[in-house]
Structure formats: structure tokens, C-alpha cells
Amino acid sequence: MTTPPSSPSSPDWLNKGDNAWQLVAATLVGLQSMPGLVILYGSIVKKKWAINSAFMAIYAFAASLIVWVLIGYRMAFGDKLLPFWGKAAPALGQKYLLARAALPETDHYYHNGTLETPMEEPFYPMATLVAFQFTFAAITLLLLAGSVLARMSIKAWMAFVPLWLIFSYTVGAFSLWGGGFLYHWGVIDYSGGYVIHLSSGVAGFTAAYWVGPRLKSDRERFPPNNILLMIAGAGLLWMGWSGFNGGAPYAANIISSVAILNTNVSASASLLVWTCLDVLYFGKPSVIGAIQGMITGLVCITPGAGLVQGWAAMLMGVLAGSVPWFSMMVLHKKSALLQQVDDTLAVFHTHAVAGLLGGVLTGLLAEPALCRRFLPVTGAKGTAYGGGVMQLVKQLVGAAFVAAWNVVVTTIILIVIGKFTPLRMSEEELAIGDDAAHGEEAYALWGDGERYDATRHGSVYGDQGLIVNSRVANGARGVTIQL
């Protein structure tokens, strides 16, 4: 069989299968955010915050892409500036984007200076890699937003997104993935347990502290406005995770297959354990609880999805459904700090706790044969397979660095933003919600027991004595017909 000749649009190094899979994986991860988390956030919050919550996610997705291609990508995956940071440069030029993808700082050397693992060079163009990694950067900010929903000023959020991506996300990504000091030291983070979930959980909790709490009435009663849509958003998040963990090897290979299966095993086990604990503790299952359990299972497996065996993935799911449940339902009520900080969607428990748990379990359960196929440090393996206590130490040190960096940088960014604009909406805006923040409401219905008032809502008189509301100023209000 003859090999087809290369062409300018299909060079010799291009593997069309790898390229196709990586683009599919990028799309799946993108769908987790748009529309997955947009729908989830817009429906899991109180009705008066549906628009604001969805808009914060939409804005973060769009703003992240612009920052990413201008300077972010190469700060995370480009040439080294510092042991934890890459050099800022744009990823927009045709020459750069059409060249074969490469991560220039990922070649790993033995202590004597000889090459141990060559630089990562996937078999597709740089444009594919830039697009794939963008979706990871974007979803990290969307997850972080879950901690500050229903009170953060939209102006403050608009300033926060690009600053946090530049000064926080790129540091974790370069350190653990792009060839930074944690990458070469041998800290294992297969697909973002630390880079994405630990960082979003810790940064979200820190941001919630500085922004301040929701209204007392919102904290006491915050029912979802549409549980069915909430399930739909969660479903997109779950199914999109196949791209999340399946795309991490940068190729359509056997590690991708293992990672996708392990991802679903862990999520299913965690959801079932969380639901069982809800039934035992509260007497009935909860849809919101099931979604929380699903998320913790997905988060926990992420740092080791392609590096652990199937039974280990199930064990990680069982622990993901129980340890974060305990931290949220039991420890939270006993901790003054946790109760003081208003983390709207409990991102600290579902992402920081679950991400740290997954990182530690990966250090314990990473299987040697799988590690050889993926990790740059030859001989890396979990403590349970003879890797020694040192691998667990590395996992804990890596987690400590990511957590500490996010606390400090998030604090500095919000203090600076607070000098120019309030971080929290005013009490009047918080009492009204979407209408005050955006001049729009999620549902074109009279809600919350409001009665029709012609002096407030406006009216025109139609035939047969109908009074038809036609006022649409300051956002959609719907049409009300009163006989």
C-alpha cells in the first residue's frame, strides 16, 4: 500500500486520526462550559439570579479565549521564563499555528545531563493544541465563578477574569504541564486535578471571602429555579469529561481509552455513594446531591484517569462520594471559617477537596505500566506499586504550591480591583437580582406572587375589555392578559 503524497494542508507529520480526536476532545470540553455550565449555573440558582449566573459563565468563556491567544497560551506552554512560568507571547500568527505542535520545555533529562524523555510533539498543528488547552483554561474560571454567584459585581468579575488567568492559571499550567519545576520533579497531574480543580476550588473560596456573602435571605433559602435544566447542564458536564480526560495524552491512543472508561466508572460510583449517604443521613435522595456526587467523582479521577486500573478508579469514586460529602455535610457545619465564607455552590468541597483527594490517591495507585506510557519521568509509579513514600510527598508538595499560589494571587487581584470598583453589588441590587444587574429577567412571567399593577407595569386597552401589558422597557417582562 502506497503512502499518499504530502501536501501543504496535509504535511508528513500530520496524523489525521490524532488531529480529529483532539479537535473532538476540545469541542467536548468546550461544551462542558458552553452550554453545560451556563445551563447548570442558570438553573441551579434562585430565579432572580439566573441571568446573572449564566452571564458570568458566558463572559468568562469569551474573555478567556482572547487573553489565551494574546499571551496566555505561551505563558502556560511556551519557552521558560521562570521555573514556574513561560514567556508571554501571542499565539495568533499563521507561521506559529500551522507548524507542528510542540511543548518546548517538556524534554526531560537525567541527573547526568543525558536525555531521558524527548520533548512532546503531537502529530497535529499548534492551532489544535492552542484550541484544546484554551477550553481547560476557560472551564477553570467558570468553575471558580460558582463560588461567587449571586452577589459579585459584574464589573469586578469582568476585570478579575483576565487578571486571574494571566497571573494564576498560567503558573499552575506551566509548572505541572508545560515543563515547569513540578513537571520535571515528577508530580503527577494527568488532566487537571491540581491545575484546574484544586486551583478553582481554592481561588473560588478565597474570592468568596473577599467579595463577601450573599444576602441573608438568599443564604437561608436558595432553591434552584429549574431542576430539569440543572440535570441537563450536569449531563453535558459529565459527557464532556470524555474529552477532558480522553484528550490529555494528545493522541487517540490506548491511554485515552483507559482514561475515558475510568472517568465514567469513578463518576458513577461517586454518584451512587453520595446518594446512599443522603438517604442514610437525610432519609431521602437529592437530585442536587446526586449531581454533587457526580462532579466529585469526575474531579477525583482527573489527576489519574489514564494512570490507574479500573478497580482503582472505582475505589477513587467511592472515596470521592464519601470524603467530600463528609467535608460538606459534617465538617462544614463545625468549622467557623467554612461557615463564615459564603461559597455559593460549595466549589471548595466539590473541586478543591475532591481534587486534592484525587491527587493523593493517584500518588498511591498510579500503575507502573500505564505511567511508562504517559509520564516524562521513567520509573514513576504509585506508592502501592513500590514507588515509595516520596511520590506521595511530591503530590502533597505540588498541591501545597498550587493552593498557596492561588490564595496569594487571588487575594492581591481582588484587593487591587476593589480599589477601583466594589467587589460586591449594593444591598439594593442584591435584593432585586437580575433586573438590577442586567435589566433582564430569566422568565417572562409574573413571579414571586407579584400582582398586576397598571401604574407600574403599563397597559393598553384592547377589545372586550382586555388589558394587555405591552411594556418591555428595561428588559423582557412578557405579556399578561387580564380579563
Side-chain angles (χ1 to χ4, degrees), residues 207-295:
Y209 171 82
W210 288 105
V211 172
R214 290 167 288 170
L215 283 181
K216 186 173 183 291
S217 59
D218 283 348
R219 293 194 71 177
E220 293 173 348
R221 178 168 170 74
F222 205 68
N225 68 83
N226 194 320
I227 290 181
L228 293 179
L229 270 182
M230 182 181 73
I231 296 172
L236 286 168
L237 192 66
W238 186 346
M239 292 299 99
W241 225 285
S242 292
F244 203 101
N245 289 342
Y250 297 150
N253 59 23
I254 59 176
I255 296 297
S256 297
S257 302
V258 171
I260 291 175
L261 180 59
N262 283 344
T263 297
N264 288 280
V265 167
S266 177
S268 299
S270 181
L271 185 153
L272 295 176
V273 169
W274 193 293
T275 300
C276 290
L277 289 173
D278 276 351
V279 172
L280 290 173
Y281 196 77
F282 300 110
K284 62 182 70 174
S286 162
V287 173
I288 296 178
I291 291 175
Q292 300 280 37
M294 174 204 83
I295 291 173

Side-chain angles (χ1 to χ4, degrees), residues 36-80:
L37 284 174
V38 173
I39 294 174
L40 180 61
Y41 286 179
S43 54
I44 201 172
V45 297
K46 203 172 185 177
K47 182 171 73 70
K48 72 174 185 177
W49 291 113
I51 294 293
N52 182 257
S53 301
F55 182 80
M56 286 178 68
I58 293 170
Y59 169 80
F61 191 83
S64 296
L65 178 56
I66 301 304
V67 176
W68 190 246
V69 296
L70 287 176
I71 59 173
Y73 172 77
R74 294 177 76 168
M75 293 177 74
F77 295 96
D79 298 316
K80 184 171 74 173

Side-chain angles (χ1 to χ4, degrees), residues 338-428:
L338 292 176
Q339 287 191 325
Q340 176 188 352
V341 178
D342 182 17
D343 181 357
T344 308
L345 299 185
V347 178
F348 178 79
H349 299 285
T350 57
H351 292 274
V353 173
L356 175 61
L357 175 66
V360 173
L361 289 174
T362 298
L364 179 67
L365 301 171
E367 203 276 332
L370 294 172
C371 289
R372 284 196 299 271
R373 290 171 167 84
F374 183 81
L375 297 177
V377 180
T378 56
K381 52 190 173 183
T383 301
Y385 294 92
V389 178
M390 193 59 196
Q391 188 60 54
L392 286 177
V393 172
K394 291 178 180 179
Q395 297 302 107
L396 292 171
V397 171
F401 171 78
V402 171
W405 185 272
N406 276 278
V407 169
V408 172
V409 172
T410 304
T411 296
I412 293 172
I413 290 173
L414 287 172
I415 289 176
V416 172
I417 292 174
K419 300 293 183 182
F420 298 93
T421 185
L423 299 177
R424 185 172 180 265
M425 296 183 195
S426 66
E427 294 295 317
E428 293 77 10

